[in-house]
Amino acid sequence: MRTTWPFAGRMAQLAAMGAAIRGGRGVVVAGPAGVGKSRLAARAVSEAAGFSVAAVRATEAAAELPFGAFAHLLPAPPSDRVNPLQWAAGELSATGLLLVDDAHLLDGASAALVHHLVRYGGVRVVATVRTGEATADAVIALWKDGLVPRLELAPLSVEEAGDALGGALGGPVEERTVRRLWEVSQGNPLFLRELVLAGQATGSLGVGGGSWRWQGELAVTTRLRELVDRRIGAVTDAEREVLELVAYGEPFGAELLGRLGSAQVLEGLEDRQLVSVVVEGRRLQVRLAHPLYGQAVRARCGTLRTRRVLLRLAEAVEAAGLRRREDALRVALWRLDSGTAADPRLLLEACRVARLARDLGLAERLARAASAAGGGAEADLHLSRILHYMDRYEEAEEVLQGVRLADDLQRMEYVAARSFNLYWGLGREGEARALADEVGAGMSEPVYRQGMDVLRAVMDSFAGDLVAAEAGLARVVALGPLPEEGARSLTPLRVSVCAFDGRAVQALELVEGNSSEAFPSYQAALLEYGVVAALLVGDLRAAERYSAAGLRLAEEFGAWNRALVGFGVDRARVCRLRGESDEALRLCREAAARLPRRSVYAGGCLGELAHVLAMRGDAAAAGDALRAAAEMTVSQGHSVVFPVRLARTWVLAVGGDLAAAVRNGVETAGEAASRGLRAYEVTAWHDLVRLGAAHLAESRLARLAGEVEGPLVGLLSRHATACVSKDGVGLDALSAEFAALELRVHAAEAAAQAAVVHDGEGNVRAAQASRTRAWSLARDCPGVRTPALVRLVLPELTARQREVAALAAEGLTNRQIADRLVLSIRTVANHLGAVYERLGVGDRVALGEILSRLD
């Protein structure tokens, strides 16, 4: 890490300060401690050329003496009879610019001197003051009387914090890590820097997948704790007691906290801005004023004191009644950490709440505690599912093998948990199906049989047998109404079948109609299949919206690793289609860094990584990604197989074996067609069109255009037909249609194909126009090097042609250009004609658009 924190996020304020220095008497920068006032002020002064500069820093110690802050600038006074203010002002009369750091700490004489120099001495001032601190009247008068403006310096925004972190660490920082550090630091640059140093010192902050990211708990080093302690300041025993209750219990009801401590003490802490009190519904809730305060307060508590505080919290909330669902979680955790947890029912209820919130680490603790307290099969089933979601599949299987089942309900839950773990965790599909068949056959109650049929249908859907999945859905419905949770589980299954079958519009209607789904796993499934459907209809913005919602869901529910991987890849796919290959590559690498050693999701993730690398022309790295996918994948579900097979087509193509690429594409399309997976089939056939083998795909795409819902497949079909019939004009029009859908790579390739057709017809002007359009579109896809685009030649203009073209694009007439450049009108016309011919445009408006891309 750099020893100097980068100056980031303050350029607008720096510009405003520079204007205030040059055009006025200076500026006062105000803000909370650690927000970067001193550094900003010093930077502004260093950039203010042409001034003699004097700098002072006020301190509490120097404030005990008159002119204490200016002691290093002033000689001893000549006699006691001299007016001290006039004497000091005279000594500093040659100063052009005065920098005063922490001006709120100035003694009265120094404050008066600063005010006098600015008001009467013609000296410019740049001063910093801490908000909320007592400040001398003479300093306040600087902005109150309008002598200088006061600039309020706010904490860094998330984006500004990201820039600062990237600059400090010398590389990209994972978005989740940026947000987490910003939330904990509250955008305070000083705290942000100390958190980074602490993370590096403890190993919590490191590079993974090409990006810096934080793993594990936030580390609080002695240095950071001491910094926060200074910010908190001295506290009484009574204040410490209340702060500890809040630190371990926040958010905590103000009324109950007042009874445990003292309402008067609580008011004092609020006045000191150590706690904040906010209205939430009908309650007043108390939180610490800064997230790091809690870290510092807890760090000061020993084991016995911590247990006593937690026990007081648990007993107080229990006495008041567990009126909210989260109360059970809080009390159970306090009981657990205080060593007094003995009720398995409380622990199991808390485990359910934590699992629903996707705080999997906490849910695991509670499930293990419930099992130890006698929770039986129910606790073990909870624990197995939690371990599965944490990608610890072998441990989950070990727990399940020792479960003792009491009834059919537990038997069904056991089968569901173990089948999921066998299939989606360990990749043992045969065992998973055999278990579901064996146990399901012995169940007579319709509701349990329905549960087994739902489980089988989910397996069929993942395997790519959509016919069997839909038949399973029909059996479930025929058995009668389902319980609420069972009925809820059918919707993601229906969306999956519809999306991959080609009923994309129907799938999107189901997603939108169930957007308020509260269960995280069901909501994630809806969003996941919503991305598939949105891409199939060509709505990249909807796909982006769904993937972004999925990432937020993964963040909100305890950094749900599987969802972070899946939705990161979905977002990368959208970026790839837009031609944003740098962002797509970053997202894929971040997702790949989160994969466990063996995973059912490795195929989708590493397949997309290989696809992006191939699109960028890096055949070697793309091949490595495909080999990694083969080594890490544990299942053969369609979402595992087809991303890899689709990527292989492009890896072969950029590696120079176009014939093998075409063969692979045909085989992939045929396999998808045989399984009714139209979503993959469409892509596989259109890849052949992009690679110059449209004749192999034309008839099948034409048929798919009538089978798949939405406008995109019809557009892809027309693309194939235009290539086969060598319709250059049609390809130009298709390029514009692709661009309108933000499918920029497709748009550039169609324009490049149009140029080849026009060249074959001898239409030089049309060919050049298409080639220029293709080049222009390809420029919006930096790094992309597909076979259709690598042959594009940059339109070259001479220096004089560029000069004439630039003036024409500004709207000047030929005569005005001739006068400006001292040329004849005929010469200007000749140059302009050559430009139009070379760029393939015919008017000044189109010329301006092209030139903006050439520059």
Side-chain angles (χ1 to χ4, degrees), residues 464-488:
D465 192 343
L466 302 187
V467 174
E470 201 143 31
L473 278 171
R475 284 195 303 272
V476 170
V477 173
L479 285 170
L482 278 83
E484 181 182 353
E485 185 171 353
R488 183 185 292 112

Side-chain angles (χ1 to χ4, degrees), residues 428 502 512 625 670:
R428 288 149 57 178
E512 293 297 328

Side-chain angles (χ1 to χ4, degrees), residues 804-821:
V804 170
L807 294 174
E810 291 177 10
L812 273 67
T813 65
N814 287 7
R815 179 176 293 281
Q816 290 171 324
I817 296 171
D819 292 342
R820 177 81 63 89
L821 300 179

Side-chain angles (χ1 to χ4, degrees), residues 462 565-566 569 573 588 591-592 595-611 622 625-648 680:
F462 187 79
V565 170
V569 170
R573 189 171 295 115
C588 283
L595 287 171
R597 182 177 55 86
R598 299 272 288 167
S599 172
V600 72
Y601 297 97
C605 177
L606 297 173
E608 181 61 26
L609 174 60
H611 209 142
L626 288 185
R627 284 186 286 276
E631 293 170 3
M632 295 175 65
T633 299
V634 298
S635 175
Q636 296 301 307
H638 68 81
S639 62
V640 176
V641 172
F642 281 96
V644 171
R645 295 192 64 162
L646 290 168
R648 184 174 290 115
Y680 297 120

Side-chain angles (χ1 to χ4, degrees), residues 427-666:
R428 288 149 57 178
E429 178 184 355
E431 290 181 56
R433 288 185 179 275
L435 178 64
D437 291 341
E438 176 188 349
V439 178
M443 290 185 173
S444 57
E445 290 290 331
V447 66
Y448 299 143
R449 289 167 54 198
Q450 284 176 315
M452 291 298 98
D453 281 337
V454 170
L455 176 59
R456 293 188 191 94
V458 171
M459 291 184 192
D460 289 333
S461 175
F462 187 79
D465 192 343
L466 302 187
V467 174
E470 201 143 31
L473 278 171
R475 284 195 303 272
V476 170
V477 173
L479 285 170
L482 278 83
E484 181 182 353
E485 185 171 353
R488 183 185 292 112
S489 68
L490 293 184
T491 304
L493 182 54
R494 287 194 179 102
V495 175
S496 169
V497 171
C498 289
F500 288 105
D501 181 50
R503 289 170 280 168
V505 174
Q506 186 176 341
L508 291 173
E509 290 172 351
L510 285 169
V511 173
E512 293 297 328
N514 292 273
S515 59
S516 60
E517 171 59 59
F519 278 69
S521 55
Y522 296 154
Q523 189 178 356
L526 288 171
L527 293 169
E528 176 186 352
Y529 302 132
V531 171
V532 175
L535 292 177
L536 191 53
V537 301
D539 191 345
L540 265 62
R541 295 191 179 186
E544 182 178 45
R545 187 172 69 252
Y546 293 145
S547 61
L551 286 171
R552 286 195 300 272
L553 181 71
E555 295 282 357
E556 291 167 4
F557 292 100
W560 187 5
N561 194 59
R562 180 181 299 178
L564 286 171
V565 170
F567 288 112
V569 170
D570 285 338
R571 188 171 165 189
R573 189 171 295 115
V574 173
C575 290
R576 170 170 59 81
L577 291 168
R578 280 186 174 145
E580 298 164 352
S581 69
D582 289 342
E583 180 68 1
L585 185 59
R586 182 188 70 80
L587 289 164
C588 283
R589 283 177 169 163
E590 283 188 4
R594 292 186 170 278
L595 287 171
R597 182 177 55 86
R598 299 272 288 167
S599 172
V600 72
Y601 297 97
C605 177
L606 297 173
E608 181 61 26
L609 174 60
H611 209 142
V612 173
L613 289 166
M615 186 178 74
R616 293 168 63 89
D618 192 343
D624 290 342
L626 288 185
R627 284 186 286 276
E631 293 170 3
M632 295 175 65
T633 299
V634 298
S635 175
Q636 296 301 307
H638 68 81
S639 62
V640 176
V641 172
F642 281 96
V644 171
R645 295 192 64 162
L646 290 168
R648 184 174 290 115
T649 295
W650 290 95
V651 175
L652 291 168
V654 299
D657 194 344
L658 194 59
V662 170
R663 284 196 303 274
N664 186 78
V666 171

